[in-house]
Amino acid sequence: MTTHETGVNAPPRARLPVPTLRADRWWLGPALTVTGLTIFVVYATFRAFQQAHYFVAEYHYLTPFYSPCVSLGCTEEASLFGRFLPDHPLIPYAAVSLPFLLLFRMTCYYYRKAYYRSFWLSPPACAVPEPHRKYTGETRFPLILQNIHRYFFYAAGIVAVINTYDAIVAFQSPSGFGLGLGNVILLVNVALLWAYTLSCHSCRHVIGGRLKHFSKHPVRYWLWTKVSLLNGRHMELAWITLGTLMLTDFYIAMVAGGVISDVRFIG
Amino acid sequence: MSYIGKFRVWRGDANGGSLEDYQVEVNEGEVVLDVIHRLQATQAPDLAVRWNCKAGKCGSCSAEINGKPRLMCMTRMSTFSEDETITVTPMRAFSVIRDLVTDVSYNYEKARMVPSFQPPKDLAPGEYRMQQVDVERSQEFRKCIECFLCQNTCHVIRDHEENKPAFSGPRFLMRIAELEMHPLDTADRRDLAQDEHGLGYCNITKCCTEVCPEGIHITDNALIPMKERVAGRRYDPVVWLGNKLFRRNRA
Ligand code: SF4
Ligand code: SF4
Ligand code: FES
Ligand code: FES
């Protein structure tokens, strides 16, 4: 870690022989963040481009990583919204939703904090100097684009509706109605996705945070208090949903690939 | 139970200084400020330290303890082990005057730049009527004791002296948010927040929130809502179009 002329050891500030006197494990947080995010990115990239094991036809389980399945390469039954994207190894089957979901998370206020602190070390931890000579934050291109986060929130809302629909149509089996472990997993996943999406800071703003007079808008105020409750858990939900997304996808991939068979309760 | 604790305290001024070792008696129930006072009374009468209330309410005794920005009067000795060496330095984002005392005038300059509360013109003082739900958000920010620990920790200025003219720091961006959320305030400070106070410099990494002794959710409740308000005004094409077409007034 460097300290440069403009930072903590620049006169007339109190000069010290070391950049930080923190002796606790301040590096643990950023290290865990890098590990967690890397695992997800590697897994998600592999799965998004694998173009296989995404659908269990028997029970109509579609993994969220392939929803909506709109490529000409998709199994017909899996594509509930038509097939129109060219079938190409570099175009994920869900190429209409994945980029928005990626941008939603990349511009998320929590993930921003997480990767600024860990990947960019700006700052690595509180009162630990950052290694960069210059800093302009989110005042310039490209980071000024973080300000359009709320559009990705709207897009993510639409995708959450689609995921909900996927989870509902999955209650089937060759003999009609069906219920299996896959359904439970899909439902839990979609419920948590909603919780994460609705806990978004942009959501909190548009639902009521932008108002000056809560008393004139009792319904929006009530909604705002609920969103604020969720918002307090935004970081937890951000991590939990990364985990549930991977688990859901992994379970469906295992069932679709014939490695395991779904635990069935009905049908 | 008392014991002899090991301390390293930064002594010096703007021309230079160093960490000096001291051994000072520590008694049960004491806070770091008590020990600093004992050090001053028994071994280092010329040690400069600023304090007032010893109750975490005046915001004077801000310093860095083992590298962490904290109030000396609110840091209990019982949180350290008896053989641990405790390092006390002045805040490191501001110029040092002497020993533990820093020059915090940057903060007062920034405070003066925030346009004050502007009630509606036709409302006389004494006629203000507000509902509790409308002022609740601002009230959280009123807990601020102006210790400036958040300002000291914010990497935007802590690590980059050159950003001080452009950036007012979390405490004063929060002050702007407080006024923006105030039900009777009529001014619009959104452009000002972005252009004069450098809201865009904040990368919401939450160190201000982490160190605030009043536990104010500075980032979640003031800075991010403020960024959203600015985004609504400056970076939201739908809002922009809506305002053009329907000339909507602010809610
Ligand atoms: S959240 Fe923003 S204002 Fe607070 S310490 Fe971080 S960069 Fe500074
Ligand atoms: S917001 Fe908190 S940390 Fe900042 S000056 Fe006020 S009390 Fe201190
Ligand atoms: S999704 Fe995290 S702030 Fe919007
Ligand atoms: S002496 Fe008043 S806050 Fe510590």
Side-chain angles (χ1 to χ4, degrees):
Chain A
M1 206 112 330
T2 54
T3 30
H4 25 82
E5 338 42 283
T6 72
V8 276
N9 276 334
R13 300 191 192 179
R15 261 160 293 165
L16 280 171
V18 287
T20 179
L21 286 164
R22 279 186 69 166
D24 56 327
R25 293 186 296 166
W26 55 262
W27 42 265
L28 188 64
L32 289 174
T33 307
V34 169
T35 314
L37 292 181
T38 307
I39 290 174
F40 182 80
V41 167
V42 170
Y43 179 85
T45 311
F46 167 71
R47 281 293 286 153
F49 291 100
Q50 195 188 15
Q51 304 186 340
H53 310 314
Y54 57 89
F55 185 58
V56 181
E58 221 180 343
Y59 311 125
H60 215 284
Y61 293 159
L62 176 67
T63 158
F65 285 41
Y66 283 74
S67 175
C69 209
V70 290
S71 162
L72 291 167
C74 288
T75 311
E76 198 173 348
E77 295 164 274
S79 40
L80 301 169
F81 301 89
R83 292 181 294 175
F84 46 84
L85 286 183
D87 184 7
H88 185 279
L90 288 181
I91 304 179
Y93 285 0
V96 291
S97 62
L98 295 189
F100 291 102
L101 293 180
L102 179 69
L103 286 165
F104 179 48
R105 298 218 177 212
M106 277 183 69
T107 57
C108 161
Y109 286 96
Y110 169 68
Y111 285 107
R112 270 145 78 181
K113 173 197 169 203
Y115 62 75
Y116 286 145
R117 274 205 191 190
S118 59
F119 285 91
W120 196 242
L121 304 177
S122 178
C126 303
V128 177
E130 58 179 31
H132 309 286
R133 202 157 263 285
K134 265 187 74 65
Y135 173 87
T136 53
E138 299 182 337
T139 56
R140 299 193 186 166
F141 183 83
L143 292 182
I144 198 164
L145 292 180
Q146 307 276 29
N147 283 304
I148 58 175
H149 177 60
R150 74 177 64 154
Y151 286 95
F152 302 122
F153 160 69
Y154 296 137
I158 297 171
V159 179
V161 172
I162 296 174
N163 289 156
T164 311
Y165 185 63
D166 289 336
I168 293 169
V169 295
F171 285 106
Q172 50 175 274
S173 73
S175 55
F177 178 81
L179 175 67
L181 183 57
N183 294 106
V184 177
I185 292 177
L186 279 170
L187 273 188
V188 169
N189 176 59
V190 92
L192 288 165
L193 281 182
W194 274 114
Y196 168 70
T197 309
L198 293 175
S199 68
C200 165
H201 286 277
S202 292
C203 175
R204 189 179 183 219
H205 174 75
V206 295
I207 213 90
R210 57 186 291 273
L211 301 171
K212 267 200 175 201
H213 297 270
F214 280 151
S215 54
K216 289 187 189 157
H217 306 264
V219 179
R220 288 181 72 184
Y221 173 63
W222 183 84
L223 289 169
W224 178 83
T225 56
K226 301 298 160 217
V227 169
S228 296
L229 277 181
L230 278 176
N231 181 262
R233 296 262 155 272
H234 194 56
M235 173 183 88
E236 288 85 341
L237 288 164
W239 284 108
I240 290 171
T241 48
L242 282 193
T244 51
L245 274 170
M246 283 197 289
L247 278 176
T248 309
D249 176 77
F250 187 70
Y251 183 78
I252 292 175
M254 288 295 113
V255 176
V259 179
I260 54 173
S261 51
D262 189 27
V263 181
R264 301 302 294 174
F265 310 123
I266 302 173
Chain B
M1 292 285 238
S2 47
Y3 65 95
I4 301 297
K6 287 179 283 199
F7 290 83
R8 297 174 80 202
V9 181
W10 195 87
R11 304 293 311 268
D13 57 27
N15 298 318
S18 59
L19 290 168
E20 305 284 329
D21 287 298
Y22 297 98
Q23 305 220 331
V24 195
E25 183 187 322
V26 180
N27 300 315
E28 196 171 344
E30 285 185 334
V31 293
V32 171
L33 186 61
D34 290 314
V35 181
I36 293 293
H37 280 156
R38 184 167 300 116
L39 171 63
Q40 200 183 38
T42 57
Q43 301 172 42
D46 60 340
L47 172 69
V49 53
R50 203 185 259 138
W51 70 286
N52 265 290
C53 68
K54 234 197 90 183
K57 285 293 164 230
C58 73
S60 308
C61 65
S62 305
E64 301 192 6
I65 300 167
N66 287 350
K68 288 190 185 171
R70 303 187 60 100
L71 293 178
M72 284 188 277
C73 72
M74 295 304 280
T75 306
R76 293 188 170 278
M77 286 307 299
S78 58
T79 56
F80 307 103
S81 64
E82 292 190 5
D83 50 4
E84 197 172 341
T85 303
I86 296 160
T87 313
V88 186
T89 70
M91 290 193 279
R92 295 177 72 193
F94 308 120
S95 335
V96 64
I97 297 175
R98 199 158 67 85
D99 304 335
L100 300 178
V101 177
T102 52
D103 175 358
V104 292
S105 50
Y106 157 82
N107 301 291
Y108 300 118
E109 282 156 28
K110 294 298 180 184
R112 276 193 292 273
M113 281 170 58
V114 181
S116 55
F117 174 62
Q118 282 181 33
K121 285 212 172 54
D122 52 350
L123 213 58
E127 289 176 359
Y128 298 175
R129 296 291 177 273
M130 292 162 266
Q131 305 239 357
Q132 179 57 29
V133 289
D134 292 332
V135 286
E136 227 150 42
R137 280 182 298 179
S138 305
Q139 279 173 339
E140 179 187 10
F141 312 144
R142 303 291 296 185
K143 291 193 298 182
C144 173
I145 58 170
E146 304 228 305
C147 63
F148 304 132
L149 283 172
C150 55
Q151 304 282 87
N152 170 54
T153 316
C154 180
H155 69 117
V156 176
I157 47 177
R158 184 181 174 94
D159 295 339
H160 303 278
E161 180 74 25
E162 73 280 7
N163 286 340
K164 279 187 179 171
F167 184 67
S168 294
R171 199 284 161 249
F172 299 106
L173 291 167
M174 175 173 90
R175 169 71 179 149
I176 293 174
E178 176 193 329
L179 291 165
E180 278 296 292
M181 292 174 190
H182 195 291
L184 286 185
D185 183 74
T186 54
D188 184 345
R189 298 174 185 75
R190 290 176 294 177
D191 283 332
L192 200 80
Q194 192 76 347
D195 300 332
E196 306 291 325
H197 296 273
L199 180 60
Y201 281 84
C202 164
N203 67 352
I204 49 159
T205 36
K206 283 200 175 174
C207 285
C208 47
T209 308
E210 249 177 60
V211 300
C212 177
E214 282 293 308
I216 304 171
H217 294 93
I218 307 169
T219 318
D220 283 352
N221 288 350
L223 304 178
I224 294 176
M226 208 50 225
K227 278 192 176 240
E228 282 293 316
R229 281 174 155 74
V230 170
R233 175 169 173 77
R234 304 270 284 253
Y235 308 108
D236 187 328
V238 175
V239 171
W240 179 82
L241 200 70
N243 286 341
K244 277 258 170 263
L245 293 178
F246 306 111
R247 305 215 161 268
R248 272 197 310 210
N249 292 322
R250 293 186 69 200

